[in-house]
Amino acid sequence: MVKRADRVGRKRPWGILRAPPPRDFLGILEEVPSDLGLELYVLARQVRLAAQCRPERRQYLFRDRSPRHVGERRTEALDQAPADLRSDLRVLMQVNGRRPPDDAYVAAACEAVATWAQDTGYPNTAVHFAEAGAAIRPRGPYPAFVAGRTNRTVGDPWRAEVFYGRSIRYAYQEQEWPVYVRAHLGLGRLLTDRGHLSAAAKHLYTAARVALDQGEEWLAAQTYHDLLLLHFELEDEQKVEEYARKALETYPRHHERYPLAVHDYAFAVLISRRR
C-alpha cells in the first residue's frame, strides 16, 4: 500500500505546512561563476537569515554592512548580471541595510532571480531563491507557489509537494483564488508525472471548479480536458465522457484547443470500444 508520504518521491519527514530546510548554499557557487556567483551566494544566505528574524530587529542582524571589498564585489556582480536583473539584485543588496525593503519586494526580487537562474540553466540557484522568497513571506500563497513550481521543474518532487501544499492552504485562508487554482494545478500535474493519477484527479477537479467560479473558463476547460486524458489512462469510460462533455461545454467559442478536445474524446471512445 502506497503511503501519502511516498506518493511523490522520497519519504519526507516534514508536515505539509512545515517548510523544508534549505539546500547546501554551495550549490550556487558551483553553478554561477565569478563575483556574480559569490554575491548570489551571500544574498541567498542573507535573505534566509532575515527571514528568521523579526522585521523590527533586522537592523541589528548585520553588523558590518559596507566594507570596501563588499562594495567592490557588488559592483563587479552587477556588471556581470543581465541589465534587467540589476534592479532586483539591488533590492536584495538592501536586506542588510539600516532600512531594508518590504518583504513583498524582497520576495518579488527573489522570484526574478529564480526565473533568470532557471532560464539560464542554474537549477540549484533557482531553487535557492524561489525558496528564499517563500521564507521571507512564510504565509504568502504566491511565494510558496513559486517555490513549488520551481522545485517541480528543476528541484525535488517532495519539496514541490510541500510548497504547493503551503500555497493551497494559505491561498484558501487569504481567498487568493488565482493562486489557489494554480497551486492545485501544479500539484495535480506533479502527481500525474509521478503516475499517481487518482490523487492527481482530485486536485485537477478542484482547480477546474474554482477556475470556473472565478470566470476563467479557458483554464477550467483546459483542466477538464486534462481530466479527460487522465481518466482515459485510468480506463474510466464514464469519467472520460463526463469530462469530455464539460470541456466541450466550457471552452470559449472558437478556442484553438476545442478541435483537439473533440479529437481526444473521439480517440478515447474508439480505443475504449477496442478494449
Side-chain angles (χ1 to χ4, degrees), residues 139-184:
R139 298 185 66 85
Y142 184 71
F145 166 73
V146 171
R149 180 183 62 191
T150 306
N151 270 292
R152 180 170 71 90
T153 305
V154 299
D156 289 337
W158 75 270
R159 295 174 79 93
E161 186 188 15
V162 171
F163 282 107
Y164 276 136
R166 291 169 63 85
S167 179
I168 289 169
R169 178 65 64 89
Y170 295 137
Y172 183 83
Q173 292 176 351
E174 300 296 328
Q175 299 185 13
E176 293 190 18
W177 303 120
V179 180
Y180 183 78
V181 168
R182 282 154 181 79
H184 270 292

Side-chain angles (χ1 to χ4, degrees), residues 44 66 78 101 133-135 141 161 217 268:
S66 57
L78 289 172
E161 186 188 15
E217 288 86 0

Side-chain angles (χ1 to χ4, degrees), residues 29-66:
L29 295 176
E30 295 171 355
E31 286 183 338
V32 187
S34 63
D35 290 304
L36 178 58
L38 180 57
E39 186 62 25
L40 291 174
Y41 166 85
V42 172
L43 292 177
R45 289 178 61 88
Q46 287 182 345
V47 173
R48 282 287 193 168
L49 287 171
Q52 299 174 27
C53 184
R54 296 197 307 272
E56 64 273 14
R57 303 293 298 174
R58 286 176 191 166
Q59 60 178 320
Y60 307 108
L61 183 61
F62 305 100
R63 294 182 179 276
D64 192 8
R65 294 183 175 83
S66 57

Side-chain angles (χ1 to χ4, degrees), residues 47-214:
V47 173
R48 282 287 193 168
L49 287 171
Q52 299 174 27
C53 184
R54 296 197 307 272
E56 64 273 14
R57 303 293 298 174
R58 286 176 191 166
Q59 60 178 320
Y60 307 108
L61 183 61
F62 305 100
R63 294 182 179 276
D64 192 8
R65 294 183 175 83
S66 57
R68 178 176 298 178
H69 74 276
V70 172
E72 293 174 352
R73 186 190 69 225
R74 289 185 166 181
T75 299
E76 291 294 328
L78 289 172
D79 289 341
Q80 295 168 11
D84 57 351
L85 191 66
R86 291 170 188 168
S87 60
D88 296 296
L89 291 177
R90 290 190 179 97
V91 170
L92 297 179
M93 289 173 182
Q94 296 171 16
V95 168
N96 68 334
R98 295 185 180 276
R99 295 183 179 180
D102 185 80
D103 290 348
Y105 290 108
V106 176
C110 286
E111 180 189 1
V113 175
T115 301
W116 165 80
Q118 183 175 335
D119 293 342
T120 312
Y122 300 143
N124 286 325
T125 304
V127 169
H128 268 297
F129 278 92
E131 293 188 2
I136 201 71
R137 291 193 64 205
R139 298 185 66 85
Y142 184 71
F145 166 73
V146 171
R149 180 183 62 191
T150 306
N151 270 292
R152 180 170 71 90
T153 305
V154 299
D156 289 337
W158 75 270
R159 295 174 79 93
E161 186 188 15
V162 171
F163 282 107
Y164 276 136
R166 291 169 63 85
S167 179
I168 289 169
R169 178 65 64 89
Y170 295 137
Y172 183 83
Q173 292 176 351
E174 300 296 328
Q175 299 185 13
E176 293 190 18
W177 303 120
V179 180
Y180 183 78
V181 168
R182 282 154 181 79
H184 270 292
L185 281 174
L187 183 52
R189 289 166 182 165
L190 174 68
L191 293 169
T192 300
D193 293 341
R194 302 295 296 180
H196 305 294
L197 304 185
S198 297
K202 297 177 182 178
H203 291 284
L204 293 179
Y205 175 74
T206 299
R209 176 176 55 80
V210 178
L212 193 59
D213 289 343
Q214 296 299 305

